[in-house]
Amino acid sequence: MSIGALFGIVLIGSIGTHAQFPLSEEGRVRNFLLNQANYSSRNRPVFNSNDTVEVTLEFSLYAMIDLNEKDEFITTASWCVVAWNDPRLRWDPKEYDGVDLVIMYTDEIWTPKILLSNSVSPESAGVISPNRGSILLTSNGSVNLGIALIVSTYCRISIRFFPFDYQVCHFSFIPDNQFTSQVSLTLRETVYQPPIDTNEWSLVNVSEYNSNVLVLNYPDNRHRLNISTGTLCIRFKRDPRYYLLLLVLPSVLLSLLAFVTFRAPTDSGERISLGVSMVLGLTVFQLVVLDTLPAASKDPPILGKFLQINFALTCLAVPLSVANINIAYGDNKLPMMKWAWFRRMFLETLPRSLELPTYKERVRKKSTSDGRPMCRVNDEAAAMQPSTQAMEGAPGRNQVQRISIISTATVYEELSPSEKAKLEARTVALVLDRLVHGLFLVAFISLLVGMSVALLQNPGASSIECPSI
């Protein structure tokens, strides 16, 4: 044998010696389990085909990342523990220096194929994947797989009672095409961490439901498969304070300011500009509301209807103010003045009831401001009243009233038709201002009360998947 061949044999032997590391007891257990004859990770962990693999799932929610009300899905962070028993993966700890626990990986042994059926992303549809989690295996064949999940799931949103609404979101777990007789899935009592509340939402309660469902067998479209499912239901409540302060309160204040325009004098040039400014303010505010309110067309929120009606009332105040100004400063006589009952109601009765100057008082004021001679008759009659009462008693007061009536009638006769029409129109306009202002306040208060009563009828959250939550 040559020296070169001998050197090669020595080198190969030294390499082989260095490549062999001593196995730990845990490694010996793994080799024993995975190198068993007839063991396959594709076969169910049973010795009898009629046996059922009992799989339990514990879902612990510890954070709500986002609740997208427009697209109707919720993103959560949770910890999921899946447990089952594999009788093929058992060993005697005494033979392996007391090793009772080893770590395995999901691609090495059989794992249940569990789907999150209402997931909105393909990546999170499968709960168990080779790149997610590790397995703790004990000597009696008990398998525990812990998985950290950040998933987005479909959540039906109802915002009818926004911002006093409750929302129910569910997580539906189902084995992938495996009968109940093959794999039985059970959702165990859920343990959740208290600090999962957000600035807007707070957790009310969590419940779980286990049931069997019949699904259509798609290969033949005839037989129905009995599959076990587990449903976790989570109920949230919204904190309304933010929306009350930033939506309801500004809308109410802007509307009240718009109604104040009816209290401004009709000859004020700022009356219309004030009303238009309030409408523009509410219009800009509506743009903010559109970005804040959740989008929903099937069942719009009660608060949205309130804001729309409130906006319509505010807009209606401007044309009514314009119409009233046209009445007060129109050149033509009001056609309703030909009716005696209308004249009596709007020129005498309503002004007294609303504590406004009547038409006769406006006539007297007109005579005083114009410096007419008959105003001195009223002054002389008022000066004569004490002496007349002292001399003749009650008849003196009647005499003064008669003189005053005669004076008013005399001044009325001296007014031109255009002056009479202007005084009548301004009296009617002032009365209409007060009446419309009162009607708007009554309508606004009724709207507030109606919205409050409707919101108090909130039955809470309901869900088809969670009937008794």
Side-chain angles (χ1 to χ4, degrees), residues 30 34 39-42 82 84 86 89 103-113 127-136 143-147:
R30 287 174 51 86
L34 299 179
Y39 179 82
S40 174
S41 60
R42 297 179 180 274
V82 185
W84 67 95
D86 193 338
L89 300 178
I103 298 176
M104 310 293 285
Y105 297 95
T106 56
D107 57 348
E108 293 178 327
I109 65 173
W110 180 90
T111 56
K113 302 301 183 287
V127 176
I128 301 175
S129 67
N131 300 324
R132 186 184 294 164
S134 58
I135 294 174
L136 297 180
V143 185
N144 288 273
L145 170 60
I147 308 168

Side-chain angles (χ1 to χ4, degrees), residues 17-28:
T17 302
H18 288 291
Q20 294 180 355
F21 295 99
L23 284 176
S24 64
E25 297 301 328
E26 182 179 346
R28 290 180 57 218

